[in-house]
């Protein structure tokens, strides 16, 4: 038995296994746990920089360091969300409707307009896989999925992980391809919840279930580690109590609160 | 050169209407007591800069009618949900919004820090962030072939306002690893700081403190304000007052509720406000 | 990610012939023991970058034939007078010299730190420093009228090499206020550090240290070398060995004298050198 | 009775009296002492940043901060030297003869190529006022004295203080004007030691002698302060012993050693 969150964490962790340095932005408990799981599996060879963490955040040069570090090629993977995501992997963190007067206004683009270009493996993540998030065309491009030749772009979208499935992104073909469907989903249920077209194989495999070793790590060490930054998340999932210093903000992220437009970076 | 002021009211009095004012995000030392004083004094037409984003103080200043324009990579209350007064102001088109992206704000401040007119930056090309910024340009890379990149004008705020743990008698301010506060001070014409405490020891005499200290050369004025970041937290000192922040979000959902919040928690003099969480 | 090496010989072995190698000035933590190891291993064709200037280690490496090119705002022994081996090499035109100016070197490294191809900078126009730098350009200010300014290409050294007081077991390196060392580490492909001591405590756990610490993320390798800056000093720890430095300058006045200096103080293994001042 | 160095220190200090922040580069004991004297006279309203000092150096952002600070307009005065100085206030800190293969090679331009443009009041200083230093035209322009219209230049040369006299620099007319001659010098002795032409009034006043109050400050508080960075200088002039921490480099500057090309900045 495992929970959807655990499936997502393990799925994402597997995309990080061969890397050297993964950074995770604010309000990202699942990507954060995935990074920490991958780190645990790597026996420490993977470095994870978790915004908001004291223990897993080595930055000492102020707010600009994450971005400089990415531009130096020292960050291999990062996570971005989107209030809207379209089939060319454009993401919108700003608003629905005409800009600037929006029908729905979200916090803003954060570092997406930059990191999407510079981090080789950007994993898009959304817990609301619905037609209102997965749209034919985003209303505002916080960061484009692809760029014309000649634009300096060592980075870009690698995959899109949702509550329904896992897509890979094909940069040359500028489109997503369905890789696996989570238990209970099939290409039909996914297509009917996706406003853009995507490639799919004839047979869509099920997203592999988490292994026992991973679940054990998650429910133990990784859970305790992520509880430093996301105590309510760790408590809700695993009944793990915060091991916090008094001054650590009692940060928590209830996915219920506007989770679909959680910006996943600082 | 830093002047010591008696209260956050005196700090707020140093911020003229119409100022371009830079503030840090919720986790980096926000001068909330001074922000309340700014609302009490009825500040108007502020041009608010989030470095690189802004939280509760932005929503409060906007709700109180102090803000004409915002430049930020995000206005976010994080886990507490959407920023209600910001969202309402956007919907009624009462704000001049200059959406940015975090590294562009850092880069613009770095240009001001270096006294150069602009800073080039990678990324951003093809985004609607760029499309809506008439003040940003794209140029050919003078060292490249068929390679264009964005250039951002220097950002030189009139005022930076933040809260820190410690100052010394000479007006040096210890910020530890919150180095974006040093960048703000270097880039700004005026830097106003509220602090938890004022030390008799010279912060610059010990490298362990000096390495995380903004020299008084860059500090215009300091006022002591214990728990001056409340209801936000100050890392290493106190946690955010989550209950109060949730109460804010609930009240600020409506204009009436927000007025009630102001009456209860802002419009009383600062000494009338219970900041003990 | 930092690797711990057994000795300064192992550090020197990480610096291939032909490397562009950045080093700090005499007052900022010079890895002199590692520089001696570099001379012992017979390094060749180094492209030496002073950040922003270089002293004794530059003169020694040049005298020992390790250096093909120099980029620096100055090669200076300060109060000890002219740098004899540098001066001799210039007179015999054995060095490819790229004269620079301090802020241009910082700016070039900052461009590499930000991953941008160039950094604009004020000043410099009309100088012969600019006239002799084919790799520097002048462009029109995209935000100005009739205003041109210099643009400097990013400087991304292959290696930065310096000495610091303290590292921890994770490979974080404490540099206190010597922030140019952090800039070097950010900008360089490899950063090699010798340290006085290695602490069991996590430097990043305490903001007083963290604010002056280069995270191990940027450190390639560390070797412990007590008094590793000798005959230079390390602020807060030991003073320069003025007598030895004067002896160096006297001997290095001639090629023969310099050879004698190398035989006595460099070519012996490091353990054979008395660094006790 | 006073020494030439004391005359120079007091003369320079008088040029700093109305300022807010004076920075002094490396190997500059006389400008350093002048800054500290002006600070003592200002009752602390003048800030002095003395490179190499622990007590009078507030920079915490690494080697770049001095330059950034100047560009921000936060430094009112600075000092530069020159192995050669010409009548248009061009300075040469690089070498004599054809570049790069020099007949005489000096350390290099340090920050002069930049600070000369950005600091409003740059005071040139030389202890060798001779035809080989004061040349018709420098062999290498480390930093030009004047710039064409349109060049961003809030700063530039303000005065030239030597062991013989004090010149003011007239930026519009692009030339020096003799202000005062030190005791024992006259326009004739100065002209015969100067390779460039300069303006002079009909009557050249003598450089005012230091007042008693200044000499007292110099031989007491200022001497002790400058001894932190320049112990041999303070010892030689005033027999003041170094009040050093053990680790402070036993820095000293014997003007006899290549003083004419002391670069006066970092």
């Amino acid at each position: 038995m495992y929970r959807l969150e655990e499936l997502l964490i393990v799925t994402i962790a597997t995309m990080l296994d061969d890397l050297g340095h993964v950074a995770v932005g604010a309000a990202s408990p699942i990507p954060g746990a995935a990074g920490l799981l991958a780190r645990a599996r790597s026996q420490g060879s993977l470095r994870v920089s978790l915004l908001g963490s004291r223990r897993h955040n080595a930055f000492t040069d102020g707010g600009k360091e994450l971005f400089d570090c990415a531009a130096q090629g020292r960050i291999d993977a990062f996570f971005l969300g989107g209030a809207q995501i379209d089939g060319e992997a454009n993401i919108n963190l700003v608003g629905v409707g005409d800009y600037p007067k929006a029908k729905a206004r979200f916090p803003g683009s954060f570092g997406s307009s930059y990191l999407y270009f510079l981090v080789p493996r950007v994993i898009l993540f959304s817990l609301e896989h619905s037609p209102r998030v997965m749209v034919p065309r985003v209303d505002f491009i916080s960061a484009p999925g692809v760029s014309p030749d000649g634009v300096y772009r060592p980075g870009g979208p690698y995959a899109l992980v949702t509550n329904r499935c896992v897509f890979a992104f094909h940069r040359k073909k500028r489109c997503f391809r369905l890789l696996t469907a989570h238990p209970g989903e099939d290409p039909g249920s996914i297509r009917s919840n996706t406003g853009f077209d995507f490639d799919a194989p004839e047979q869509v495999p099920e997203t592999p279930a988490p292994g026992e070793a991973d679940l054990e790590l998650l429910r133990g060490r990784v859970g305790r580690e992520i509880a430093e930054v996301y105590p309510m998340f760790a408590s809700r999932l695993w009944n793990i109590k915060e091991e916090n210093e008094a001054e650590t903000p009692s940060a928590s992220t209830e996915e219920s609160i506007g989770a679909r437009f959680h910006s996943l970076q600082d | 050169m830093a002047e010591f002021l008696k209260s956050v009211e005196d700090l707020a009095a140093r911020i003229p209407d119409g100022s371009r004012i830079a503030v840090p995000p919720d986790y980096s030392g926000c001068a909330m007591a001074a922000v309340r004083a700014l609302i009490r004094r009825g500040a108007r037409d502020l041009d608010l800069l989030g470095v690189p984003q802004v939280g509760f103080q932005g929503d409060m200043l906007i709700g109180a009618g102090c803000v004409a324009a915002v430049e930020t990579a995000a206005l976010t209350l994080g886990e507490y949900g959407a920023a209600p007064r910001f969202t309402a102001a956007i919907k009624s088109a009462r704000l001049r919004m200059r959406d940015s992206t975090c590294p562009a704000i850092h880069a613009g401040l770095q240009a001001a820090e270096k006294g150069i007119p602009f800073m080039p930056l990678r990324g951003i090309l093809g985004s609607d962030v760029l499309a809506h910024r008439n003040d940003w340009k794209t140029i050919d890379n003078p060292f490249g072939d068929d390679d264009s990149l964005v250039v951002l004008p220097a950002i030189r705020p009139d005022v930076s306002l933040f809260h820190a743990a410690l100052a010394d008698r000479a007006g040096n301010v210890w910020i530890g690893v919150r180095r974006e506060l040093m960048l703000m001070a270097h880039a700004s014409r005026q830097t106003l700081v509220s602090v938890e405490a004022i030390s008799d020891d010279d912060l610059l005499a010990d490298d362990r403190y000096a390495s995380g200290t903004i020299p008084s050369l860059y500090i215009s004025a300091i006022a002591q304000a214990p728990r001056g970041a409340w209801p936000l937290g100050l890392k290493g000192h106190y946690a955010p007052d989550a209950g109060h922040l949730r109460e804010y979000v609930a009240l600020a959902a409506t204009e009436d509720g927000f007025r009630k919040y102001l009456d209860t928690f802002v419009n009383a003099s600062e000494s009338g406000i219970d900041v003990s969480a």
Side-chain angles (χ1 to χ4, degrees), chain A, chain B:
Chain A
M1 282 300 300
Y2 59 88
R3 304 177 64 139
L4 172 64
E5 289 90 339
E6 292 173 323
L7 177 72
L8 298 176
I9 292 169
V10 174
T11 300
I12 293 173
T14 304
M15 297 177 181
L16 310 175
D17 273 338
D18 52 332
L19 301 180
H21 184 199
V22 172
V24 185
S28 307
I30 289 175
L36 292 170
L37 175 61
R39 177 172 168 276
R41 302 202 300 204
S42 79
Q43 264 118 34
S45 84
L46 174 66
R47 176 186 296 268
V48 177
S49 293
L50 207 61
L51 257 75
S53 168
R54 176 82 233 186
R55 283 172 223 149
H56 299 281
N57 181 346
F59 293 135
T60 60
D61 201 26
K64 71 186 177 66
E65 187 175 4
L66 168 67
F67 308 101
D68 290 353
C69 191
Q72 292 155 25
R74 298 187 204 266
I75 297 178
D76 303 312
F78 194 74
F79 301 89
L80 291 171
Q84 295 180 328
I85 298 171
D86 70 23
E88 292 202 335
N90 298 308
I91 61 173
N92 174 7
L93 294 155
V94 163
V96 174
D98 282 343
Y99 183 87
K101 194 178 163 180
K103 276 185 287 187
R105 169 74 207 200
F106 309 118
S109 301
F110 291 88
S112 67
S113 324
Y114 182 77
L115 292 171
Y116 212 21
F117 286 76
L118 293 165
V119 176
R121 200 175 284 192
V122 175
I123 297 169
L124 301 175
F125 178 71
S126 172
L127 282 169
E128 183 180 331
H129 189 149
S130 73
R132 105 178 150 165
V133 171
M134 306 300 163
V135 296
R137 180 75 186 173
V138 296
D139 289 353
F140 183 99
I141 300 177
S142 285
V146 291
S147 297
D149 286 349
V151 169
Y152 178 84
R153 186 157 193 178
Y158 176 79
L160 166 58
V161 177
T162 77
N163 54 317
R164 299 187 191 276
C165 65
V166 178
F167 294 105
F169 188 72
H170 196 297
R171 293 185 197 177
K172 283 261 165 66
K173 291 168 79 178
R174 307 165 73 107
C175 77
F176 287 106
R177 177 180 178 80
L178 183 59
L179 284 186
T180 65
H182 301 338
E185 302 287 341
D186 57 49
S189 71
I190 293 165
R191 283 213 188 268
S192 69
N193 279 289
T194 307
F196 54 79
D197 199 20
F198 54 85
D199 288 348
E202 290 205 9
Q203 292 294 322
V204 177
E206 191 173 271
T207 309
E212 276 313 308
D214 285 335
L215 288 174
E216 201 174 305
L217 277 169
L218 273 187
R219 293 163 184 177
R221 169 181 168 181
V222 169
R224 287 192 302 274
E225 288 177 347
I226 200 73
E228 178 212 352
V229 185
Y230 301 106
M232 289 176 69
F233 174 80
S235 161
R236 181 170 59 78
L237 278 192
W238 302 304
N239 200 26
I240 286 174
K241 233 184 101 49
E242 178 177 359
E243 287 180 342
N244 262 354
E245 299 159 271
E247 73 274 12
T248 305
S250 59
S252 68
T253 300
E254 284 301 333
E255 281 85 339
S256 56
I257 304 176
R260 73 181 187 286
F261 56 83
H262 268 144
S263 54
L264 297 166
Q265 72 286 358
D266 181 24
Chain B
M1 306 187 177
E3 221 176 307
F4 285 89
L5 305 180
K6 285 214 190 81
S7 70
V8 291
E9 312 293 333
D10 294 341
L11 276 185
R14 295 288 191 99
I15 305 172
D17 286 354
S19 294
R20 187 174 194 184
I21 175 176
V23 296
D26 284 346
Y27 53 77
S28 187
C30 293
M32 296 304 284
V35 165
R36 286 190 292 274
L38 201 53
I39 293 173
R40 280 194 293 276
R41 89 147 186 76
R44 285 294 173 273
D45 292 329
L46 298 178
D47 186 351
L48 186 69
L49 177 75
V51 182
Q53 38 134 312
V54 54
F56 280 93
Q57 61 189 324
D59 202 60
M60 287 171 62
L61 287 165
I62 290 166
C66 307
V67 178
V70 176
E71 176 167 12
T72 189
L75 202 155
T76 174
L77 308 187
E79 59 203 340
Y80 297 95
R85 292 299 93 207
F86 166 64
T87 307
I90 286 285
K91 285 192 182 167
S92 63
R94 274 183 282 120
L95 276 184
R96 196 156 46 84
M97 189 68 197
R98 302 197 300 282
D99 265 284
S100 187
T101 180
C102 306
I105 289 174
H106 295 303
L109 291 169
Q110 283 187 281
E113 179 182 61
K114 294 200 85 59
I116 50 180
F118 66 92
M119 185 72 81
L121 201 66
R122 289 301 191 181
I124 308 176
L125 293 165
S127 71
D128 284 337
V129 176
L130 176 62
H132 288 94
R133 291 298 300 251
N134 298 327
D135 54 334
W136 294 1
K137 292 177 195 273
T138 303
I139 66 166
D140 289 333
N141 174 4
F143 295 93
D145 255 353
D146 184 28
D147 174 23
S148 57
L149 77 177
V150 175
V151 285
L152 306 155
I155 298 174
R156 186 154 197 200
D158 296 312
V159 183
S160 275
L161 175 67
F162 54 84
H163 184 73
L166 199 63
D168 66 18
R169 300 277 165 208
N172 303 303
V173 174
W174 189 66
I175 47 130
V177 296
R178 298 265 50 115
R179 201 110 190 147
E180 57 276 9
L181 302 176
M182 186 181 286
L183 174 59
M184 286 162 64
H186 288 173
S188 297
R189 291 187 175 82
Q190 252 204 104
T191 294
L192 306 175
V193 186
S194 60
V195 295
E196 290 293 316
I198 296 170
S199 163
D200 289 330
D201 294 325
D202 178 1
L203 285 167
L204 296 177
D206 181 337
D207 268 1
R208 289 173 305 176
Y209 284 96
S211 58
T213 293
I214 305 174
S216 62
L217 169 60
Y218 304 96
I219 306 292
S220 313
I222 296 173
Q224 193 171 356
R227 293 188 61 83
W230 177 88
L232 296 172
L234 184 64
K235 279 261 172 113
H237 296 269
Y238 45 90
D241 183 347
H244 183 94
L245 295 174
R246 274 192 288 268
E247 186 179 353
Y248 172 84
V249 173
L251 283 170
T254 67
E255 178 69 29
D256 280 355
F258 179 73
R259 291 292 142 196
K260 194 177 149 203
Y261 179 89
L262 287 187
D263 286 344
T264 315
F265 295 107
V266 177
N267 290 334
S269 77
E270 197 62 22
S271 60
I273 297 168
D274 178 11
V275 299
S276 60

